[in-house]
């Protein structure tokens, strides 16, 4: 055995060999500890790591190869009238499925004429095409262009759920901040239900706030739970300087999943709506605790005049002059499928063709004794005009 091999064996056994100068001394130390692991009170290197640390290391080893470094460029003419690529920006993205689709932020690829995605410390690179995007939610879907055998080596990440996240639970982000690819940061869910202004000029609601370090270049990368499931797509930071200040935001994966599947299937996002405004899941849970009544469904906040929801007689929540709240209708089923979260309702609505009806089961004013079934027309959100 070489000196380095002897040192490695001793280190794995947790044996202190700092006082060994010669190879013969290393051999002697190894012989002395051959039958007593951890002879000097040490433990094996693997067991020196706490279980939580091992889990994080294993998660990074498993997931990092599926997180890509995205480079974008525009094409311009040089003085000699030749077309040249001008670097535009960079960000992160991750493998969505085994068909070569990659998910990132819309603002990462906005106005780009060339997109390249690199994996595994740039040892595997692909040109990419933009399949479609939803700028209001800051989500874009790319398709890798390359040899199928190379694309097949990329494992899709496991997609989790964001409907049951809790403040305080551990999260991890993998991305390419400042071009430093394969960077892991850790933290916790700091808050839920945040609204973040999107690149399309409209707020992205229901975002996950985290203190995991998210810096320029992390945009479009995955936010994981401790099980290694993607629970969000990192999109923005709150910082006067533009660098991490302990507040980052991620688009919840339930929202991302719905958009990505529509883009992959149709090349664009379909936008059917009932015209109803609802409370996010966390607000509904908080109200449920405040009033001491289980609200197992989606709470209607408003059904503005001119919308299909208003025409069908859905009632929103109201605030009395004294500040107390009169709860609106609670949607508990959509087309016979149970509705427990906002995602359940959105998924049910977006599964139906435009201009078809959705059967909703309601608890009027959240009263389980007042059950009604109504039909509401699903119309194109972009064409609906509310006075």
């Amino acid at each position: 055995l070489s000196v380095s091999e002897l040192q490695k064996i001793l280190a794995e056994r947790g044996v202190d060999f700092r006082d060994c100068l010669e190879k013969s001394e290393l051999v002697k130390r190894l012989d002395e500890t051959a039958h007593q692991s951890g002879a000097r009170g040490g433990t094996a290197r693997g067991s020196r790591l706490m279980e939580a640390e091992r889990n994080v290391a294993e998660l990074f080893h498993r997931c990092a190869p599926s997180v890509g470094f995205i480079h974008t460029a525009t094409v311009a003419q040089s003085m000699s009238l030749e077309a040249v690529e001008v670097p535009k920006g960079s960000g992160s993205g991750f493998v969505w499925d085994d068909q070569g689709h990659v998910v990132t932020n819309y603002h990462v690829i906005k106005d780009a004429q060339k997109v390249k995605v690199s994996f595994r410390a740039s040892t595997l690179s692909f040109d990419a095409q933009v399949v479609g995007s939803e700028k209001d939610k800051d989500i874009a879907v790319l398709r890798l262009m390359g040899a199928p055998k190379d694309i097949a080596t990329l494992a899709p990440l496991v997609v989790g759920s964001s409907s049951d996240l809790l403040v305080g639970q551990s999260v991890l982000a993998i991305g390419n901040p400042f071009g430093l690819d394969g960077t892991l940061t850790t933290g916790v869910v700091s808050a839920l239900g945040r609204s973040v202004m999107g690149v399309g000029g409209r707020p992205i609601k229901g975002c996950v706030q985290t203190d995991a370090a998210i810096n320029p270049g992390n945009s479009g990368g995955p936010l994981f739970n401790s099980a290694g499931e993607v629970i969000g797509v990192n999109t923005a930071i709150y910082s006067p300087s533009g660098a991490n200040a302990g507040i980052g935001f991620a688009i919840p994966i339930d929202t991302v999943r719905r958009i990505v599947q529509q883009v992959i299937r149709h090349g664009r996002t379909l936008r059917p709506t009932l015209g109803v405004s609802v409370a996010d899941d966390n607000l509904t849970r908080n109200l449920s605790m405040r009033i001491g009544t289980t609200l197992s469904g989606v709470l209607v906040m408003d059904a503005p005049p001119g919308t299909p929801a208003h025409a069908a007689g859905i009632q929103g929540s109201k605030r009395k002059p004294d500040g107390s709240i009169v709860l609106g209708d609670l949607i508990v089923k959509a087309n016979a499928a149970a509705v427990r979260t906002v995602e359940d309702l959105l998924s049910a609505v977006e599964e139906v063709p435009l201009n078809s009806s959705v059967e909703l089961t309601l608890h009027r004013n959240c009263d389980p004794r007042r059950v009604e079934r109504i039909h509401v027309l699903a119309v194109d959100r972009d064409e609906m005009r509310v006075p």
Side-chain angles (χ1 to χ4, degrees), residues 69-85:
F69 188 7
I70 298 177
H71 310 260
T72 62
T74 56
V75 178
Q77 282 189 335
S78 66
M79 295 296 292
S80 61
L81 301 182
E82 294 181 350
V84 295
E85 291 187 9

Side-chain angles (χ1 to χ4, degrees), residues 122-288:
S122 298
T123 60
L124 186 61
S125 296
F126 302 89
D127 288 328
Q129 291 183 343
V130 178
V131 178
S133 61
E134 174 55 85
K135 71 176 182 179
D136 286 340
K137 299 296 185 182
D138 200 18
I139 293 296
V141 180
L142 312 177
R143 183 171 60 244
L144 301 177
M145 310 302 292
K149 63 180 181 61
D150 292 332
I151 295 175
T153 64
L154 300 171
L157 294 177
V158 177
V159 175
S161 173
S162 52
S163 64
D164 56 355
L165 295 177
L166 297 173
V167 173
Q169 77 175 78
S170 297
V171 291
L172 307 92
I174 299 178
N176 308 287
F178 304 109
L180 302 171
D181 58 338
T183 297
L184 169 71
T185 57
T186 63
V188 299
V189 173
S190 306
L192 296 166
R194 296 302 197 200
S195 291
V196 178
M197 188 57 66
V199 68
R202 297 177 57 188
I204 305 172
K205 297 182 178 180
C207 287
V208 180
Q209 180 182 319
T210 177
D211 67 349
I214 296 175
N215 287 293
N218 275 111
S219 293
L223 186 70
F224 298 93
N225 61 17
S226 56
E229 299 169 333
V230 181
I231 50 95
V233 175
N234 301 317
T235 186
I237 58 175
Y238 180 81
S239 170
S241 67
N244 175 61
I247 302 177
F249 301 96
I251 305 166
I253 197 63
D254 290 343
T255 299
V256 175
R257 181 192 295 108
R258 186 174 64 254
I259 293 170
V260 170
Q261 289 307 109
Q262 288 182 5
V263 169
I264 290 175
R265 292 181 185 180
H266 307 290
R268 64 183 183 91
T269 53
L270 304 179
R271 301 168 66 89
T273 183
L274 306 180
V276 62
S277 298
V278 299
D280 66 51
D281 299 326
N282 295 299
L283 177 57
T284 301
R285 284 199 294 265
N286 290 337
L287 286 172
S288 179

